[in-house]
Amino acid sequence: MHAVVQGTGKPLVFLHAFPLSSRMWEGEINRFSRTHRVIAPDLPGFGGSSARPDGFTMETAAQEVLTLLDHLHIEEPVVLAGLSMGGYILFECVRLFPERIGGVILAATKASADSEEGKAGRMKTIEQ
C-alpha cells in the first residue's frame, strides 16, 4: 500500500474519504508532521495503491492499515483520523485491533452502513 510517511513523534494516521487519496490531507500532513509521525495511506484501489484482487471492504481496508503499521514497525497506540469512508474504516480498525489505537478523530462519517440509495450513488461514482 502506498503511503505518505512524514515527521517524527507520536503516530497520527489519516484515512481519506471516497473517492480521494492521501493527497486530500496535504495541509494536515505538512502541519502535523512538525510534531507527529504522520502516516497517510492511499487505501486499496485509490491513489498510488493497487486494488485488492479479492475486492474492497471496510474490513480488508482496515487489515491493510494494520499491515502498514506493522511494516512501519509502529507498535505504540496510534491516533486514527478518518473522514467519511475513512471513518468507516476507522470503526473497523477499532473493532479489529483496539489495542493499537490510542485515540480517534472522526469527521463527516457514521457508524452505520450506507442505505441502498447511498450504495447506489457510490457505485455510480465508481463506474464513472
Side-chain angles (χ1 to χ4, degrees):
M1 176 165 37
H2 174 265
V4 174
V5 181
Q6 195 170 305
T8 59
K10 293 191 179 276
L12 174 57
V13 181
F14 286 102
L15 303 176
H16 64 79
F18 175 87
L20 305 173
S21 71
S22 61
R23 292 193 62 203
M24 71 166 281
W25 296 113
E26 285 179 354
E28 289 78 8
I29 292 166
N30 290 333
R31 164 59 183 92
F32 287 102
S33 64
R34 297 178 207 154
T35 56
H36 292 77
R37 184 175 186 193
V38 176
I39 301 106
D42 285 340
L43 296 164
F46 298 91
S49 293
S50 299
R52 289 175 54 109
D54 57 346
F56 182 93
T57 66
M58 300 307 122
E59 184 174 351
T60 59
Q63 290 288 354
E64 292 282 343
V65 171
L66 179 59
T67 298
L68 176 62
L69 295 176
D70 289 344
H71 175 76
L72 295 172
H73 306 288
I74 296 174
E75 296 179 11
E76 68 183 287
V78 302
V79 172
L80 289 174
L83 175 69
S84 189
M85 178 188 72
Y88 297 4
I89 295 164
L90 188 155
F91 281 116
E92 279 299 304
C93 292
V94 169
R95 186 180 70 79
L96 294 172
F97 49 94
E99 70 284 354
R100 303 283 294 269
I101 300 168
V104 300
I105 301 167
L106 295 164
T109 193
K110 59 184 180 175
S112 60
D114 284 344
S115 66
E116 289 305 315
E117 182 180 338
K119 288 178 190 176
R122 196 174 301 271
M123 289 306 296
K124 185 177 178 180
T125 301
I126 291 168
E127 291 169 4
Q128 291 174 349

PDB file of all heavy atoms in Angstrom, residues 91-109:
ATOM      1  N   PHE A  91     -13.683   2.782  12.164  1.00  0.00           N
ATOM      2  CA  PHE A  91     -14.521   1.949  13.033  1.00  0.00           C
ATOM      3  C   PHE A  91     -14.113   0.477  12.934  1.00  0.00           C
ATOM      4  O   PHE A  91     -14.104  -0.238  13.938  1.00  0.00           O
ATOM      5  CB  PHE A  91     -16.006   2.109  12.685  1.00  0.00           C
ATOM      6  CG  PHE A  91     -16.633   3.358  13.222  1.00  0.00           C
ATOM      7  CD1 PHE A  91     -17.125   4.322  12.362  1.00  0.00           C
ATOM      8  CD2 PHE A  91     -16.745   3.579  14.587  1.00  0.00           C
ATOM      9  CE1 PHE A  91     -17.716   5.484  12.853  1.00  0.00           C
ATOM     10  CE2 PHE A  91     -17.331   4.740  15.093  1.00  0.00           C
ATOM     11  CZ  PHE A  91     -17.825   5.686  14.221  1.00  0.00           C
ATOM     12  N   GLU A  92     -13.782   0.010  11.746  1.00  0.00           N
ATOM     13  CA  GLU A  92     -13.317  -1.377  11.583  1.00  0.00           C
ATOM     14  C   GLU A  92     -11.977  -1.590  12.282  1.00  0.00           C
ATOM     15  O   GLU A  92     -11.747  -2.639  12.876  1.00  0.00           O
ATOM     16  CB  GLU A  92     -13.200  -1.751  10.107  1.00  0.00           C
ATOM     17  CG  GLU A  92     -14.499  -2.134   9.476  1.00  0.00           C
ATOM     18  CD  GLU A  92     -15.151  -3.349  10.119  1.00  0.00           C
ATOM     19  OE1 GLU A  92     -14.525  -4.424  10.204  1.00  0.00           O
ATOM     20  OE2 GLU A  92     -16.316  -3.218  10.554  1.00  0.00           O
ATOM     21  N   CYS A  93     -11.098  -0.604  12.215  1.00  0.00           N
ATOM     22  CA  CYS A  93      -9.811  -0.700  12.918  1.00  0.00           C
ATOM     23  C   CYS A  93     -10.046  -0.852  14.418  1.00  0.00           C
ATOM     24  O   CYS A  93      -9.404  -1.681  15.075  1.00  0.00           O
ATOM     25  CB  CYS A  93      -8.949   0.525  12.640  1.00  0.00           C
ATOM     26  SG  CYS A  93      -8.357   0.688  10.938  1.00  0.00           S
ATOM     27  N   VAL A  94     -10.962  -0.056  14.964  1.00  0.00           N
ATOM     28  CA  VAL A  94     -11.280  -0.139  16.392  1.00  0.00           C
ATOM     29  C   VAL A  94     -11.820  -1.521  16.727  1.00  0.00           C
ATOM     30  O   VAL A  94     -11.483  -2.107  17.756  1.00  0.00           O
ATOM     31  CB  VAL A  94     -12.275   0.973  16.802  1.00  0.00           C
ATOM     32  CG1 VAL A  94     -12.816   0.748  18.204  1.00  0.00           C
ATOM     33  CG2 VAL A  94     -11.619   2.343  16.688  1.00  0.00           C
ATOM     34  N   ARG A  95     -12.635  -2.068  15.845  1.00  0.00           N
ATOM     35  CA  ARG A  95     -13.196  -3.405  16.077  1.00  0.00           C
ATOM     36  C   ARG A  95     -12.123  -4.488  15.998  1.00  0.00           C
ATOM     37  O   ARG A  95     -12.095  -5.399  16.826  1.00  0.00           O
ATOM     38  CB  ARG A  95     -14.299  -3.683  15.051  1.00  0.00           C
ATOM     39  CG  ARG A  95     -15.060  -4.983  15.296  1.00  0.00           C
ATOM     40  CD  ARG A  95     -16.141  -5.194  14.249  1.00  0.00           C
ATOM     41  NE  ARG A  95     -15.616  -5.496  12.933  1.00  0.00           N
ATOM     42  CZ  ARG A  95     -15.168  -6.686  12.544  1.00  0.00           C
ATOM     43  NH1 ARG A  95     -15.149  -7.700  13.389  1.00  0.00           N
ATOM     44  NH2 ARG A  95     -14.726  -6.868  11.313  1.00  0.00           N
ATOM     45  N   LEU A  96     -11.223  -4.377  15.020  1.00  0.00           N
ATOM     46  CA  LEU A  96     -10.259  -5.436  14.762  1.00  0.00           C
ATOM     47  C   LEU A  96      -9.015  -5.382  15.639  1.00  0.00           C
ATOM     48  O   LEU A  96      -8.452  -6.412  15.991  1.00  0.00           O
ATOM     49  CB  LEU A  96      -9.829  -5.411  13.288  1.00  0.00           C
ATOM     50  CG  LEU A  96     -10.909  -5.749  12.281  1.00  0.00           C
ATOM     51  CD1 LEU A  96     -10.404  -5.502  10.864  1.00  0.00           C
ATOM     52  CD2 LEU A  96     -11.357  -7.193  12.446  1.00  0.00           C
ATOM     53  N   PHE A  97      -8.522  -4.174  15.955  1.00  0.00           N
ATOM     54  CA  PHE A  97      -7.291  -4.086  16.746  1.00  0.00           C
ATOM     55  C   PHE A  97      -7.326  -2.898  17.698  1.00  0.00           C
ATOM     56  O   PHE A  97      -6.520  -1.980  17.618  1.00  0.00           O
ATOM     57  CB  PHE A  97      -6.040  -4.075  15.853  1.00  0.00           C
ATOM     58  CG  PHE A  97      -6.052  -3.107  14.690  1.00  0.00           C
ATOM     59  CD1 PHE A  97      -5.501  -1.836  14.809  1.00  0.00           C
ATOM     60  CD2 PHE A  97      -6.585  -3.474  13.469  1.00  0.00           C
ATOM     61  CE1 PHE A  97      -5.482  -0.951  13.757  1.00  0.00           C
ATOM     62  CE2 PHE A  97      -6.580  -2.589  12.387  1.00  0.00           C
ATOM     63  CZ  PHE A  97      -6.024  -1.318  12.540  1.00  0.00           C
ATOM     64  N   PRO A  98      -8.254  -2.915  18.652  1.00  0.00           N
ATOM     65  CA  PRO A  98      -8.413  -1.783  19.577  1.00  0.00           C
ATOM     66  C   PRO A  98      -7.172  -1.491  20.416  1.00  0.00           C
ATOM     67  O   PRO A  98      -6.930  -0.334  20.786  1.00  0.00           O
ATOM     68  CB  PRO A  98      -9.597  -2.196  20.455  1.00  0.00           C
ATOM     69  CG  PRO A  98      -9.633  -3.688  20.368  1.00  0.00           C
ATOM     70  CD  PRO A  98      -9.160  -4.014  18.972  1.00  0.00           C
ATOM     71  N   GLU A  99      -6.382  -2.491  20.676  1.00  0.00           N
ATOM     72  CA  GLU A  99      -5.179  -2.307  21.495  1.00  0.00           C
ATOM     73  C   GLU A  99      -4.112  -1.466  20.798  1.00  0.00           C
ATOM     74  O   GLU A  99      -3.196  -0.954  21.441  1.00  0.00           O
ATOM     75  CB  GLU A  99      -4.594  -3.670  21.894  1.00  0.00           C
ATOM     76  CG  GLU A  99      -3.963  -4.452  20.758  1.00  0.00           C
ATOM     77  CD  GLU A  99      -4.939  -5.127  19.787  1.00  0.00           C
ATOM     78  OE1 GLU A  99      -6.173  -5.119  20.018  1.00  0.00           O
ATOM     79  OE2 GLU A  99      -4.451  -5.658  18.765  1.00  0.00           O
ATOM     80  N   ARG A 100      -4.231  -1.276  19.492  1.00  0.00           N
ATOM     81  CA  ARG A 100      -3.254  -0.497  18.727  1.00  0.00           C
ATOM     82  C   ARG A 100      -3.700   0.954  18.543  1.00  0.00           C
ATOM     83  O   ARG A 100      -3.038   1.726  17.858  1.00  0.00           O
ATOM     84  CB  ARG A 100      -3.030  -1.131  17.347  1.00  0.00           C
ATOM     85  CG  ARG A 100      -2.567  -2.579  17.325  1.00  0.00           C
ATOM     86  CD  ARG A 100      -1.104  -2.754  17.634  1.00  0.00           C
ATOM     87  NE  ARG A 100      -0.210  -2.198  16.662  1.00  0.00           N
ATOM     88  CZ  ARG A 100       0.301  -2.844  15.604  1.00  0.00           C
ATOM     89  NH1 ARG A 100      -0.027  -4.091  15.379  1.00  0.00           N
ATOM     90  NH2 ARG A 100       1.139  -2.228  14.799  1.00  0.00           N
ATOM     91  N   ILE A 101      -4.836   1.319  19.131  1.00  0.00           N
ATOM     92  CA  ILE A 101      -5.412   2.646  18.909  1.00  0.00           C
ATOM     93  C   ILE A 101      -5.461   3.418  20.216  1.00  0.00           C
ATOM     94  O   ILE A 101      -6.029   2.960  21.207  1.00  0.00           O
ATOM     95  CB  ILE A 101      -6.813   2.528  18.281  1.00  0.00           C
ATOM     96  CG1 ILE A 101      -6.683   1.788  16.949  1.00  0.00           C
ATOM     97  CG2 ILE A 101      -7.438   3.903  18.104  1.00  0.00           C
ATOM     98  CD1 ILE A 101      -7.976   1.358  16.350  1.00  0.00           C
ATOM     99  N   GLY A 102      -4.839   4.602  20.203  1.00  0.00           N
ATOM    100  CA  GLY A 102      -4.798   5.450  21.384  1.00  0.00           C
ATOM    101  C   GLY A 102      -5.801   6.587  21.338  1.00  0.00           C
ATOM    102  O   GLY A 102      -6.056   7.240  22.338  1.00  0.00           O
ATOM    103  N   GLY A 103      -6.381   6.846  20.168  1.00  0.00           N
ATOM    104  CA  GLY A 103      -7.363   7.911  20.037  1.00  0.00           C
ATOM    105  C   GLY A 103      -7.932   7.925  18.639  1.00  0.00           C
ATOM    106  O   GLY A 103      -7.351   7.340  17.714  1.00  0.00           O
ATOM    107  N   VAL A 104      -9.088   8.569  18.496  1.00  0.00           N
ATOM    108  CA  VAL A 104      -9.732   8.655  17.188  1.00  0.00           C
ATOM    109  C   VAL A 104     -10.216  10.075  16.936  1.00  0.00           C
ATOM    110  O   VAL A 104     -10.559  10.805  17.867  1.00  0.00           O
ATOM    111  CB  VAL A 104     -10.910   7.665  17.038  1.00  0.00           C
ATOM    112  CG1 VAL A 104     -10.448   6.230  17.198  1.00  0.00           C
ATOM    113  CG2 VAL A 104     -12.032   7.972  18.010  1.00  0.00           C
ATOM    114  N   ILE A 105     -10.206  10.443  15.659  1.00  0.00           N
ATOM    115  CA  ILE A 105     -10.772  11.705  15.191  1.00  0.00           C
ATOM    116  C   ILE A 105     -11.709  11.335  14.042  1.00  0.00           C
ATOM    117  O   ILE A 105     -11.270  10.764  13.048  1.00  0.00           O
ATOM    118  CB  ILE A 105      -9.674  12.663  14.692  1.00  0.00           C
ATOM    119  CG1 ILE A 105      -8.666  12.952  15.804  1.00  0.00           C
ATOM    120  CG2 ILE A 105     -10.303  13.939  14.151  1.00  0.00           C
ATOM    121  CD1 ILE A 105      -7.396  13.629  15.315  1.00  0.00           C
ATOM    122  N   LEU A 106     -12.982  11.632  14.213  1.00  0.00           N
ATOM    123  CA  LEU A 106     -13.982  11.297  13.198  1.00  0.00           C
ATOM    124  C   LEU A 106     -14.581  12.572  12.628  1.00  0.00           C
ATOM    125  O   LEU A 106     -14.910  13.493  13.381  1.00  0.00           O
ATOM    126  CB  LEU A 106     -15.095  10.446  13.815  1.00  0.00           C
ATOM    127  CG  LEU A 106     -14.656   9.071  14.317  1.00  0.00           C
ATOM    128  CD1 LEU A 106     -15.707   8.490  15.250  1.00  0.00           C
ATOM    129  CD2 LEU A 106     -14.401   8.148  13.148  1.00  0.00           C
ATOM    130  N   ALA A 107     -14.721  12.615  11.306  1.00  0.00           N
ATOM    131  CA  ALA A 107     -15.313  13.789  10.656  1.00  0.00           C
ATOM    132  C   ALA A 107     -16.207  13.338   9.508  1.00  0.00           C
ATOM    133  O   ALA A 107     -15.804  12.485   8.711  1.00  0.00           O
ATOM    134  CB  ALA A 107     -14.220  14.714  10.132  1.00  0.00           C
ATOM    135  N   ALA A 108     -17.415  13.889   9.452  1.00  0.00           N
ATOM    136  CA  ALA A 108     -18.352  13.635   8.352  1.00  0.00           C
ATOM    137  C   ALA A 108     -18.466  12.145   8.043  1.00  0.00           C
ATOM    138  O   ALA A 108     -18.303  11.706   6.907  1.00  0.00           O
ATOM    139  CB  ALA A 108     -17.938  14.422   7.106  1.00  0.00           C
ATOM    140  N   THR A 109     -18.738  11.351   9.062  1.00  0.00           N
ATOM    141  CA  THR A 109     -18.835   9.907   8.900  1.00  0.00           C
ATOM    142  C   THR A 109     -19.969   9.393   9.764  1.00  0.00           C
ATOM    143  O   THR A 109     -20.647  10.163  10.441  1.00  0.00           O
ATOM    144  CB  THR A 109     -17.491   9.233   9.239  1.00  0.00           C
ATOM    145  OG1 THR A 109     -17.514   7.876   8.789  1.00  0.00           O
ATOM    146  CG2 THR A 109     -17.171   9.290  10.730  1.00  0.00           C
TER     147      THR A 109
END
